Amino acid sequence: DIQMTQSPSSLSASIGDRVTITCRASQSSCNYLNWYQQKPGRAPKLLIYAASSLQSGVPSRFSGSGSGTEFTLTISSLQPEDFATYYCQQSCATPLFGQGTKLEIK
Amino acid sequence: QLQLQESGPGLVKPAETLSLTCSVSGVPIKSSDYYWGWIRQPPGKGLEWIGSIYNSGNTYYNPSLNSRVTISVDTSKNHVSLRLNSVTVADSAMYYCAYGGYRYGYGNWFDPWGQGILVTVSS
């Protein structure tokens, strides 16, 4: 079975920082990799689909890249509303989420 | 605007059946090319896909839950249902329904999600 591993599990950063979160698949998979943002007490929200396509309405400071087994989510300049938990999800076969990366303010 | 709203009992006894409904507004539930999913999240933990149902009626379930899960749609009420049998404390979680988007060559995803409903399994 494919495993999705995110790193780091948690991250402290400051407003204006550039942040990168990585998602690795245990086996080479298709590029159907999605990223979600979840704020406390809220449902997840789709940010990026198919590894690098920005969902409508999502700020352009969010970007995604990667293929095969390694994918990244980058926030180019952190804003106060970006502090949240981020999840990757592969949709090549059975939908599978990474364990999440909690982004906290430094 | 598409909106989803989960409903059902917030407390279920061990060994009983968890039954939840996702009421959909803004799009006919049997629209082609789309699908519906259920995802859960234990308190303080990550997301786990439970299963999905497609317009064709085909259902796909997480293998770890397959024998206990049933997802169905009621087109007359425009809602999606989830049934999980023989629940244990480990099934306590926030349960979300979500709309499944798809585009050829881009895969599929869940967006938007309902606000979720917290279900606790306890005697």
Side-chain angles (χ1 to χ4, degrees):
Chain A
D1 293 348
I2 294 178
Q3 304 291 325
M4 307 299 293
T5 303
Q6 291 181 230
S7 61
S9 295
S10 63
L11 173 62
S12 295
S14 301
I15 303 298
D17 282 355
R18 180 183 181 89
V19 167
T20 297
I21 298 169
T22 298
C23 179
R24 290 186 175 88
S26 58
Q27 307 171 27
S28 182
S29 63
C30 63
N31 292 342
Y32 297 160
L33 191 287
N34 308 317
W35 289 97
Y36 300 85
Q37 175 194 67
Q38 186 179 33
K39 297 182 179 180
R42 304 290 297 273
K45 170 189 171 184
L46 179 68
L47 299 176
I48 302 282
Y49 61 93
S52 60
S53 296
L54 191 68
Q55 173 67 339
S56 176
V58 174
S60 59
R61 63 180 179 273
F62 291 92
S63 63
S65 64
S67 63
T69 60
E70 186 163 322
F71 301 86
T72 59
L73 172 70
T74 299
I75 309 171
S76 60
S77 178
L78 272 175
Q79 299 302 301
E81 60 268 30
D82 299 337
F83 292 95
T85 300
Y86 293 85
Y87 293 92
C88 63
Q89 178 235 328
Q90 69 85 14
S91 64
C92 305
T94 301
L96 181 63
F97 293 91
Q99 83 278 14
T101 295
K102 187 173 184 179
L103 177 55
E104 298 175 305
I105 192 165
K106 185 182 287 185
Chain B
Q1 181 181 359
L2 175 61
Q3 291 186 313
L4 297 86
Q5 177 72 57
E6 302 87 348
S7 61
L11 181 64
V12 182
K13 289 183 168 56
E16 294 191 345
T17 296
L18 180 160
S19 294
L20 298 176
T21 295
C22 175
S23 298
V24 177
S25 59
V27 65
I29 202 164
K30 287 288 279 186
S31 299
S32 61
D33 298 333
Y34 302 122
Y35 64 99
W36 308 91
W38 285 94
I39 302 100
R40 70 180 183 180
Q41 184 174 35
K45 296 189 178 181
L47 300 165
E48 179 184 35
W49 172 73
I50 299 170
S52 299
I53 185 165
Y54 285 72
N55 178 60
S56 62
N58 290 342
T59 52
Y60 300 88
Y61 301 130
N62 188 320
S64 69
L65 302 170
N66 187 54
S67 62
R68 299 195 290 133
V69 176
T70 303
I71 295 175
S72 60
V73 299
D74 185 329
T75 54
S76 65
K77 297 180 180 178
N78 221 47
H79 71 214
V80 186
S81 297
L82 169 70
R83 287 175 56 87
L84 181 65
N85 301 328
S86 305
V87 297
T88 70
V89 171
D91 294 312
S92 297
M94 182 72 79
Y95 284 76
Y96 296 101
C97 65
Y99 179 76
Y102 170 82
R103 186 186 302 177
Y104 180 77
Y106 290 80
N108 47 39
W109 52 84
F110 294 111
D111 182 68
W113 299 47
Q115 66 183 32
I117 182 169
L118 181 61
V119 178
T120 300
V121 178
S122 175
S123 55

